[in-house]
Amino acid sequence: MSKVREIFVCRSCGAEATRWQGQCSQCQEWNTMEAALKERRASPVRSAAATGKTTLLGKLDGASSAQRRSTGSNELDRVVGGGLVPGSVVLLGGDPGIGKSTLLLQVGARVCADASVLYATGEESASQVRLRAERLNAIDKNLWLAAESDLGAVIAHIDSVKPELLVIDSIQTISSATVDGAPGGVTQVREIAAALIRIAKERAITLVLVGHVTKDGSIAGPRLLEHLVDVVLNFEGERHSRLRLIRTIKNRFGASDEVGCFDLNDSGIIGLPDPTGLFTSRHTDPVPGTCVTVALEGRRALLAEIQSLVGTANADGRDWGNSRRVTSGLDNSRTAMTLAVLELRAGIKISGRDVYVATVGGMKINEPSADLAVALSVASAAKGLALPADLVAIGEVGLAGEIRKVTGINQRVSEAARLGFKRAIVPMGSDLKIAGIEILEAARLEQAISKVKIN
């Protein structure tokens, strides 16, 4: 016979402990241990009857066993690896109000053209979902809706509808009377997810789970949930911006570094195959303090504009002492190091002057390839001289003033050439030959500044 005992599970990493402790011994997070129940079997596990026969791996037909179904959105298909695989489980996490339910309701309406879809919501009433569907024009005869928060009722709807796509919005709101613990707790989420995943695998149903996120951006609940599913997607975006990004965290059926770009408007969420216009601005005349770079988001090259503003110094030349360094969309520490190198190695006087550096369109750049664009942008603002409008700058700036090579330089410059840029300043030794764009190589920061004539 099996016995049930109480354990404590870390909701951050899934580590187990026999008693409660303030700090998890595995991930070192504080106040993440939650009570749960675990079944302990008294007898050892023995062999049982096999549910299927053993097959040679080379004789399996991969095309028929993993036939994908399009979501109706090219950007979402790109992120999940080409489409939804029958029997796969997708976990979509994101901040409240970012558009998860809107996106999945649109996907359900598009998939309904050749498959039955069940949309189960535990957060909203049926009338609320109906109003959103009317606004999005997402009403279809094959789209079924179930406003349920009980696992047994959801399974009953699955037996009745027999869907090919099942959406659970969200996993933290579904509970079961047969499972101990509060709804959304570690025990409830783990057992309910395991039950739904088992049904999806047995019946070849594509299952999409919506997950809440914590204040640090990670998916709420036990870490085991991310190990159980096949695909983990993270929905990102600023509340005051129309841009939405879906980033692949885990994918058993494709690349795990893909990024999809979407535009959130009154008619829903629309994929952006070429979102460059969101991250750059058009000026009728050249403006000092602007420089364009090319960032890599996953496997996608995106042009981004960096804008800088440098305040005026005191008339007597003395430092203000508490000059401000404000960044938006860039790493604050890395930007501060780039400014120090710009002054000490390239001779651009910015000490005692307020410096503001930001990206256009709410884009966030954390990679070092934007260092050179930041330096040129600040130098342009400090000197009051505009950079050429057809120039892009790509490169990492070291503390000694050298410009280092970055990954994907060929892809970055090719994307700039495709969008009409005529000159690219890159690290020395990049060895690029791309039609339609002039390559300017620089080994040090002062050389790059001299080439663009702002020294």
Side-chain angles (χ1 to χ4, degrees), residues 119-130:
Y119 187 96
T121 175
E123 298 181 338
E124 300 174 292
S125 64
S127 59
Q128 288 177 308
V129 179
R130 166 76 187 196

Side-chain angles (χ1 to χ4, degrees), residues 123-382:
E123 298 181 338
E124 300 174 292
S125 64
S127 59
Q128 288 177 308
V129 179
R130 166 76 187 196
L131 290 175
R132 181 187 295 118
E134 289 179 349
R135 177 172 58 85
L136 301 176
N137 194 21
I139 299 177
D140 192 276
K141 63 180 181 179
N142 290 328
L143 178 58
W144 298 83
L145 174 64
E148 301 284 356
S149 59
D150 181 71
L151 177 62
V154 173
I155 295 177
H157 288 297
I158 296 174
D159 296 335
S160 175
V161 177
K162 295 180 174 57
E164 296 174 82
L165 172 62
L166 173 62
V167 179
I168 303 294
D169 187 10
S170 65
I171 186 64
Q172 281 87 2
T173 60
I174 306 298
S175 61
S176 175
T178 61
V179 180
D180 293 330
V186 173
T187 306
Q188 285 276 351
V189 171
R190 181 174 56 190
E191 295 300 327
I192 290 169
L196 292 173
I197 291 173
R198 182 170 60 252
I199 293 174
K201 299 294 184 182
E202 292 174 353
R203 307 183 189 183
I205 300 173
T206 302
L207 174 61
V208 180
L209 303 174
V210 177
H212 294 165
V213 297
T214 59
K215 61 182 180 180
D216 62 350
S218 60
I219 297 177
R223 197 71 177 183
L224 178 65
L225 184 61
E226 298 184 29
H227 296 288
L228 291 175
V229 302
D230 301 310
V231 182
V232 179
L233 305 177
N234 191 23
F235 211 165
E236 304 174 357
E238 297 290 340
R239 182 175 293 273
H240 304 291
S241 173
R242 293 172 47 183
L243 175 67
R244 296 292 184 267
L245 298 178
I246 296 185
R247 195 181 305 274
T248 308
I249 307 300
K250 170 188 175 182
N251 194 353
R252 290 174 177 165
F253 308 108
S256 61
D257 57 353
E258 283 288 358
V259 174
C261 299
F262 299 84
D263 180 28
L264 177 64
N265 52 42
D266 294 338
S267 60
I269 297 180
I270 304 173
L272 296 174
D274 193 2
T276 298
L278 295 175
F279 309 126
T280 57
S281 57
R282 301 297 180 186
H283 305 285
T284 55
D285 297 320
V287 179
T290 63
C291 185
V292 178
T293 187
V294 185
L296 280 182
E297 287 288 346
R299 298 186 175 186
R300 168 177 288 186
L302 298 176
L303 264 71
E305 181 179 334
I306 296 176
Q307 297 183 346
S308 300
L309 181 64
V310 179
T312 58
N314 282 349
D316 55 4
R318 292 183 295 105
D319 291 349
W320 285 342
N322 292 323
S323 56
R324 301 186 64 188
R325 301 289 186 262
V326 181
T327 62
S328 176
L330 296 163
D331 182 70
N332 189 44
S333 299
R334 189 158 199 92
T335 303
M337 289 190 296
T338 303
L339 296 180
V341 174
L342 182 64
E343 178 164 9
L344 296 178
R345 305 298 183 186
I348 303 297
K349 182 67 174 177
I350 55 176
S351 61
R353 306 173 69 179
D354 293 343
V355 179
Y356 304 86
V357 187
T359 58
V360 173
M363 186 176 184
K364 295 182 179 180
I365 305 177
N366 295 319
E367 58 175 336
S369 63
D371 291 351
L372 182 56
V374 171
L376 293 180
S377 174
V378 174
S380 171

